[in-house]
Amino acid sequence: MNKDIATPVRTRAILEKYGFSFKKSLGQNFLIDTNILNRIVDHANLTDESGVIEVGPGIGALTEQIARRSKKVVAFEIDQRLLPILEETLAPYGNTTIIHSDVLKADVASMMATEFAGFTDVMVVANLPYYVTTPIIMKLLEEKLPIRGIVVMLQKEVAERIAAKPGTKDYGSLSIAVQYYTEAETVMIVPKTVFVPQPNVDSAVIRLTVRTTPKVAVKSEAFFFQITKASFAQRRKTILNNLISQLPEGKEKKEEILAALSKVHIEPTRRGETLSIEEFAVLSDALLPHFQ
Ligand code: SAM
């Protein structure tokens, strides 16, 4: 077997050879612990038939471990300086493809149609750049890509918000947006010491298993997400007051909101954080005719 990329000695040698300097603005914190990398890959439950999409391969530390345990990896990397490095480090792995692109601007669906045609199992596995974790996860989910799930490293605090249950301080519109599409769980807490350079925040790995149908059925997805965001606009305010201040002006706005809340048996004095996703679904359907 080839020597691992992710040992501290090999990583340092690669970085020195290419005179590579980390760009904080691109969230470049590379993993230097093969044990952690393998545990991340374990959580994706890959087989030798699996396809994997990676975001931000860096110098290929995680890409290599995925390549050994899947059929094919396609990785999006924004930083051109990493391309010649990846060409060298991933040379032994013919089942890897690097796309030089900002993943947020990439057409991931058409990439999948060409690169993963005939695959029945595709996962996203990545150590995400922390400045854009939420936009990347939301893009992958909102595009309704044919993926089984997402296993990614991110800030521990964001992981807690994503997996939060109603009635907790971390529960909010991000928890609802992600749990609408997936079953979310935090599977690992990761210390700062396994990165170079070390990030300022603690890290965690989450696993998002895509649901075959969304957790709740709603008449308008866009309006459902608008209502959940509005309900958490100011966490200390009641649901009634948040909806009054966030929904568009109307002649009898307060009365209409009160009527909708009463119809679905939600007390107007409750706070957004106490409502389950099912309650948000019936509430948004009840409000929809008034605010369409
Ligand atoms: N996978 C490597 C590892 O675990 O050591 C590197 C992970 S590092 C946290 C994040 C990587 O994402 C960097 O290589 C960075 O250049 C890349 N990146 C940052 N923003 C990106 C974007 N918008 N699209 C694609 N790659 C991005």
Side-chain angles (χ1 to χ4, degrees):
M1 202 190 296
N2 297 294
K3 234 170 47 183
D4 287 317
I5 297 166
T7 63
V9 172
R10 175 120 192 260
T11 298
R12 200 174 316 120
I14 294 166
L15 297 176
E16 266 170 26
K17 176 174 172 187
Y18 287 89
F20 184 83
S21 53
F22 294 102
K23 270 199 190 152
K24 215 177 161 184
S25 62
L26 291 180
Q28 291 178 336
N29 301 95
F30 295 171
L31 279 164
I32 47 162
D33 186 317
T34 48
N35 176 41
I36 295 280
L37 286 163
N38 273 304
R39 284 174 53 204
I40 296 173
V41 182
D42 287 344
H43 286 295
N45 297 322
L46 302 177
T47 72
D48 50 14
E49 294 300 311
S50 302
V52 176
I53 302 169
E54 190 191 355
V55 177
I59 60 168
L62 178 59
T63 326
E64 169 182 68
Q65 305 300 336
I66 301 168
R68 288 181 184 155
R69 294 166 62 179
S70 67
K71 188 164 182 183
K72 182 175 186 178
V73 194
V74 176
F76 291 96
E77 176 54 64
I78 198 172
D79 189 348
Q80 180 150 26
R81 301 173 307 153
L82 289 165
L83 303 187
I85 305 183
L86 287 163
E87 208 165 303
E88 179 188 325
T89 56
L90 297 178
Y93 305 98
N95 59 343
T96 58
T97 301
I98 305 297
I99 300 179
H100 177 217
S101 164
D102 175 346
V103 71
L104 292 175
K105 298 193 181 137
D107 184 346
V108 183
S110 33
M111 177 284 281
M112 286 189 73
T114 43
E115 299 285 347
F116 294 115
F119 280 65
T120 52
D121 182 55
V122 180
M123 285 291 287
V124 175
V125 182
N127 170 19
L128 290 177
Y130 288 2
Y131 74 106
V132 276
T133 45
T134 308
I136 291 173
I137 291 173
M138 289 320 299
K139 174 192 163 99
L140 297 170
L141 295 178
E142 283 167 359
E143 289 185 2
K144 302 192 168 144
L145 301 167
I147 54 174
R148 173 165 53 90
I150 300 178
V151 172
V152 283
M153 174 109 78
L154 71 182
Q155 306 92 309
K156 182 166 159 259
E157 173 249 327
V158 180
E160 282 164 354
R161 286 201 281 133
I162 285 177
K165 299 275 174 268
T168 64
K169 71 171 181 14
D170 292 320
Y171 180 68
S173 53
L174 179 63
S175 331
I176 295 169
V178 175
Q179 293 174 34
Y180 175 79
Y181 297 109
T182 72
E183 224 170 287
E185 53 191 326
T186 300
V187 290
M188 275 168 77
I189 304 293
V190 180
K192 293 175 186 167
T193 48
V194 299
F195 300 88
V196 279
Q198 292 190 14
N200 297 325
V201 293
D202 290 325
S203 300
V205 175
I206 52 163
R207 175 166 54 205
L208 307 176
T209 306
V210 174
R211 300 176 189 277
T212 42
T213 53
K215 186 173 170 73
V216 288
V218 288
K219 291 189 183 123
S220 160
E221 266 181 13
F223 189 68
F224 168 71
F225 290 125
Q226 188 187 337
I227 293 300
T228 60
K229 279 206 187 92
S231 304
F232 290 97
Q234 289 195 38
R235 294 189 72 94
R236 298 171 69 85
K237 273 194 183 177
T238 63
I239 182 126
L240 175 65
N241 287 338
N242 268 326
L243 291 175
I244 290 175
S245 67
Q246 299 296 314
L247 283 171
E249 274 317 315
K251 248 198 338 217
E252 292 173 26
K253 182 158 72 161
K254 185 174 176 184
E255 287 66 32
E256 284 170 346
I257 296 170
L258 278 169
L261 284 164
S262 153
K263 184 177 166 201
V264 296
H265 310 292
I266 294 172
E267 284 296 319
T269 51
R270 284 174 64 185
R271 289 191 185 150
E273 69 196 40
T274 70
L275 267 69
S276 67
I277 298 183
E278 289 78 4
E279 286 179 306
F280 275 115
V282 289
L283 177 59
S284 87
D285 279 358
L287 285 165
L288 184 65
H290 302 288
F291 294 94
Q292 243 169 350

